[in-house]
Structures are given as C-alpha cells and as structure tokens.
Amino acid sequence: MNAEIRWPRNDYSRVPFRLHHDEEIYALEMERIFRGPAWSYLCLEAEIPSPGDFRTTWVGDTPVVVSRAKDGTIHAFVNRCSHRGAMIVRELRGNAERHVCLYHRWCYSGSGELTGLPFRKGLKGEGGMPEDFDMKTVSPRKMKVDNCAGMLFGTFQPDQAEPLESYLGEFGTGIIRRFLNRPLRILGYSRQLIAGNWKLYAENLRDTYHASLLHEFFVTYGVDRATQKGGVKMDERHRHNMNHAFAATDTQEDAKAAYADTAARLDRMQLRDRKLLSFANEFPDGMNLAAPTFFPNGLLIQINNSLATRQIRPKGVGAHEVFQTVFGYADDDAAMTRHRLMSTNLVGPAGFVSMEDGEAIEVVQKATRSAAGAAAIVEMGGRGPLRDLAHRVTETPIRGFWSYWAELMGVEPAGAIR
Amino acid sequence: MAIDDNRLEDWVELFDEACDYKVVTRENVEQNLPNVLMWCDNKNMLRDRVESYRQVNLYNLHYDRHVLGPLRFVKQEGSAWTFEVSYSLFQTELEGASRLFSVGRYRVEARVEDGVGRLKSVSVVADTGLVPSLLATPI
C-alpha cells in the first residue's frame, strides 16, 4: 500500500483536509506509526503497582494488555488470542497470574506467553494438535516497554525505534520528571468520544493560537491568556511539544488591549465562587499551565492544580476517544485532593476550558468531508524552519507534528523541512 | 424539565443555597475512585456554571430530553427525603437527528419545608462513561 500525498508546500504550512478522511491513510498510520517505530503512551506505572496487576489499553486500533509480572517487570502484548483472534482480556483492569481466552480456553502467562491449550494431546489418543505445534512461536505480539519516571511507553518495532530516552529528548524526559516527581495517587478516569480524525486532536494540542480564543473562559476569568509569559517548546525533531504559561505574568490592562472583543466582559464577569480558579503553586518553575504532548498519542496536562495524562485512541478514520487519567500525589492531604477534584471542573469532557475542543474538532470533520482537494492554512507564527517560540500566538508545533508524521509514513515532500 | 426547556437558571433555583451537584461515572465509582466530570459544592458554583454557559462557553447546539424512572424511595429523616431514579438523556441536533447521550442514575436528597421542596444533593452516576462529543448542559 502506498499513499500518494500532494503537499502544497514543503514546510507543512498547508495540510490537505483529505488526510482526516482517507481510509487508506488511516490504515497506513496504524501500521507505520502505531505499529511502527514510534513510542506510544500506554499508561502510568502507578496504575499497575503490584505483581499480577494489569490494565487493558489501545495503541492505535490495536488492543493491548499492560501487565506487571511476578518479578516486577512490566510487559505489554497484543490482546488477541493466537488461536482464533478473540480478545483475551475483557476487563478494564485486575490482578491475575494468567489470562485465559474465553473461546477455547487457551492460556497465557501474565506477560503474554502462550502456556497451554486444552486437548493439546487429543482425547483418548485421538485428535489434538500436530506433534510439531510449538506454542512459543505463536504467542501474541509483544511490545517493548520502557518507563520514564513512571510514565510507560511501548513500541512494536524495537529494532527500528530509537531508545525512549532519545525519542523523548531532554525536553520530554525533563518535563515528565517534573510532573511525576513523587509517588502518585490515581484519582480516576474520564472518556470522551469525538467525531473527528485523531490528528485533529493532535493538532489541537499543538495549537496555542486557539487556546485563549476558543476557550473564552480562560480569558474572561484570567486562567490563561496569550498576554501571559509563556511559549511553545519542541524537541529537536519537532514531533513533541509543550504549550506553557506562567501564572500571574500579565495585567488586566494587557489583556483588555489584546482581547478587544471580550474586554467589556473582563470587568463585568466574576465568578461568585473563586475557589475554582485558586492555584497553589507546587512546581519550582511556577507554571500554572503546561501541556507537554508526545507523538503520537500521549500528553500530560496541568491546568492550575488539576493534573492528568491523556491518551488518544483512534476509533476509525472519523472518530477518536480521549482517555484521561486524573492524578494527584500520594502525599496529598484530603484538602488538596478535594482541591484537585474541584480544579478538574476546568478540564475533561465537561471542562470549562476544554469542552469547546470536542465541538471545534467535530465541526472541522463535518465541513472538510467535502473539501478533499483543499488544505488547511498553518502559518500563524511563521513559515519555513521549525523553531521554539517565546510567545503564545503560534501554530508552528502543528507543522512539527506533520513533518514527523510524514517522515514515518514515508510521504515527505521533496525538500521537506524536519 | 427545566433543563429540557433550556431554563437553566430555573434549574439552579431548585437547589438549596448549601447544596452539592456532582456528575461521576460508574467506571470510577466501581473502582472507588473519586474523579468527577462536574462538581459544584454550593449554589453559587451552579450559578457560575450556568452564567458561563450563557456568556462564555461554546458547545454543541442541541436540545436535551430527559426520560426518568423508575423512582426508588430510599429513606426519610424528618424533612429530608432520599430517593434514586434512573434516567435516559437524549440529545437532538438542530438538524433533527437524536441520539442517546447518557444513561444512568440520580441519587437525590431533597428537603421539604413549608410545602416547598429544595434539592440538597444531586449525585449523577452516569453509566455512559464515554461522553459523546462533550458534556456542557448539566444532566
């Protein structure tokens, strides 16, 4: 299979809408990115703390089990029985020494090796599997798993993949350690099904231009404005990025000048209950908003004291699930846990500063179905070379995303920037 | 009814000043995890949410339709009544297509004084953990 893509420009400042609608491209992405050499975010180590613990997850459209073996090592394998293809583990989570497929009771170890099957030697000397059937050669496909400070990543192509450390770069490993600086407490999950291609969500996370425009709550109540100090950072390959802002680094006057349309509202509207916006600075860097995003499917997000990971789960070419794991720290007291949960009102499917993303992505998907020959404009922040910016009105990381996407897909234009 | 008629301000008035409104999912409840989709622990927070919907937030344009029942009485202690009721919530787009948006159960504590009932606590446990599109107007 070979997708031919006509990029209008080699710096990805035009992105064909077709890439969000083409079934063939979707199938190639699953193969070359999610089952290719990229490192996908799996789950947090804190979700499988004890030997035998497991969770089911998705890497692209592939169902995967992440488990901790008796010796404490962490494994990930395709959740599909070698025999006839049934999903082996159907629960979301649990603790088990072995997993048994419901269909014909083929049996797998906690780390995913086929260890036995009923009637292998037949019954009363009749039937059974051929003598030379070798269980070892048919175990489900394994991922290589690596752990960065408690955030688990996996790849299906360990021979082609870079080591995780260099894949994430100093940028990635540094920011993960910043978030996961001590033992975690998992507070729970949320899920959202957005009727749009998964790459529209990946773009959304790399688009600091939209943040304070689409999410007017940010500006109106002063949680996050482009007038605050902040910017975007990328790794050296420009595939990951981080939008960030520092608390209380602008004035009401700066904001009014920048957001003329909403200026009137800035004075008029006040929350009756301000605790929703209260921020207890808990990181040495003073950031109140940080959203480091890791190609292709993971991110960490801090909005004030609400902390979470998100995993993008593509669900066919026209939909994706956003799976969010909300956490705090094991040493949080009851008041801090309550405050984090209160802050969670800001994020997630019903979040004051996130609900609009679902709608924006769905209306793009709806309106671009009929625009196969047209392309999106990605020029805010400039054309040409990809670089970090110390301001917040930019879409440059979107171009970074597409440059690495095109490299893995083998569809870079002539003279492509990276 | 008030939500279905887009009278969100009237919906807020059904609550006591000291009240609690929470939307959680069954997936979290069954794992004993406290995460919330939406949480207002007093009436001012409900007022803030509704004002934000009216003036600040942008979301999918739709009609809501709640179908309730059966209702199960849990207990009465003085003027406080506790009951549980299942719900189905349908959303209809402006072009007329309807979908099942959420199904689950309310646990409600209401106080009746001088013949007027006020909501003290509404806890929505949604079976539908996979929120279609987004959750804006309350359940």
Side-chain angles (χ1 to χ4, degrees), chain B residues 10 17 51 114 117 122:
Chain B
D10 293 347
E17 282 299 329
E51 186 173 57
D114 305 326
V122 174

Side-chain angles (χ1 to χ4, degrees), chain A residues 26 29-31 33-35 40-42 57-64 143 156 198 296-297 311-316 319-321:
Chain A
Y26 179 79
E29 288 170 339
M30 296 304 121
E31 179 192 321
I33 296 173
F34 290 98
R35 290 190 293 274
S40 290
Y41 166 55
L42 300 174
T57 184
W58 294 85
V59 174
D61 61 359
T62 304
V64 166
M143 297 185 87
F156 278 111
W198 71 275
N297 72 336
Q311 187 193 45
I312 309 173
R313 301 177 171 182
K315 299 288 173 192
H320 63 277
E321 177 183 339

Side-chain angles (χ1 to χ4, degrees), chain A residues 123-389:
Chain A
L123 200 58
K124 295 179 181 165
E126 287 187 280
M129 298 294 272
E131 285 287 316
D132 61 354
F133 180 77
D134 182 1
M135 293 198 293
K136 283 192 203 73
T137 60
V138 297
S139 284
R141 191 166 167 190
K142 288 201 141 205
M143 297 185 87
K144 181 182 168 70
V145 181
D146 206 349
N147 185 348
C148 180
M151 195 167 177
L152 302 177
F153 293 84
T155 178
F156 278 111
Q157 300 285 356
D159 297 339
Q160 293 168 39
E162 301 163 53
L164 180 65
E165 189 95 2
S166 77
Y167 181 80
L168 295 170
E170 275 181 35
F171 156 81
T173 56
I175 198 69
I176 291 172
R177 288 186 186 110
R178 177 235 192 227
F179 273 81
L180 310 183
N181 58 64
R182 59 192 193 276
L184 304 183
R185 179 180 168 206
I186 305 296
L187 297 177
Y189 303 95
S190 69
R191 301 164 184 264
Q192 188 173 3
L193 185 68
I194 299 176
N197 186 269
W198 71 275
K199 299 187 295 301
L200 290 172
Y201 196 80
E203 285 190 333
N204 178 279
L205 298 166
R206 289 166 172 82
D207 165 7
T208 53
Y209 181 26
H210 89 281
S212 66
L213 297 169
L214 175 67
H215 307 302
E216 287 195 41
F217 187 95
F218 268 140
V219 177
T220 305
Y221 300 116
V223 187
D224 175 46
R225 308 192 268 224
T227 43
Q228 274 170 261
K229 207 170 129 231
V232 292
K233 285 183 187 157
M234 289 175 276
D235 65 310
E236 283 182 12
R237 184 54 197 83
H238 308 109
R239 54 197 164 192
H240 318 305
N241 83 306
M242 181 173 74
N243 172 21
H244 63 283
F246 297 90
T249 47
D250 70 343
T251 66
Q252 193 79 342
E253 274 55 50
D254 295 337
K256 274 193 225 167
Y259 296 97
D261 292 348
T262 38
R265 213 187 282 155
L266 291 184
D267 284 335
R268 187 164 45 84
M269 289 197 56
Q270 286 286 329
L271 288 179
R272 292 168 186 83
D273 192 331
R274 302 276 304 166
K275 72 169 171 288
L276 194 59
L277 304 178
S278 75
F279 168 54
N281 184 21
E282 58 180 328
F283 297 103
D285 55 33
M287 289 194 280
N288 75 318
L289 183 149
T293 301
F294 307 106
F295 188 97
N297 72 336
L299 75 144
L300 280 159
I301 183 157
Q302 172 204 355
I303 303 220
N304 290 344
N305 296 107
S306 161
L307 305 172
T309 65
R310 289 184 198 158
Q311 187 193 45
I312 309 173
R313 301 177 171 182
K315 299 288 173 192
V317 71
H320 63 277
E321 177 183 339
V322 179
F323 180 80
Q324 181 165 261
T325 305
V326 180
F327 64 86
Y329 298 104
D331 59 6
D332 287 345
D333 60 16
M336 189 59 180
T337 298
R338 188 181 171 92
H339 173 59
R340 289 197 199 282
L341 293 171
M342 219 14 111
S343 305
T344 300
N345 272 304
L346 298 171
V347 296
F352 279 121
V353 299
S354 62
M355 69 172 81
E356 287 91 356
D357 291 324
E359 174 68 356
I361 289 169
E362 292 197 354
V363 295
V364 170
Q365 189 78 11
K366 256 184 218 169
T368 57
R369 199 166 290 136
S370 53
I377 299 167
V378 190
E379 291 194 42
M380 189 57 73
R383 288 191 288 263
L386 300 161
R387 59 173 84 93
D388 289 358
L389 296 162

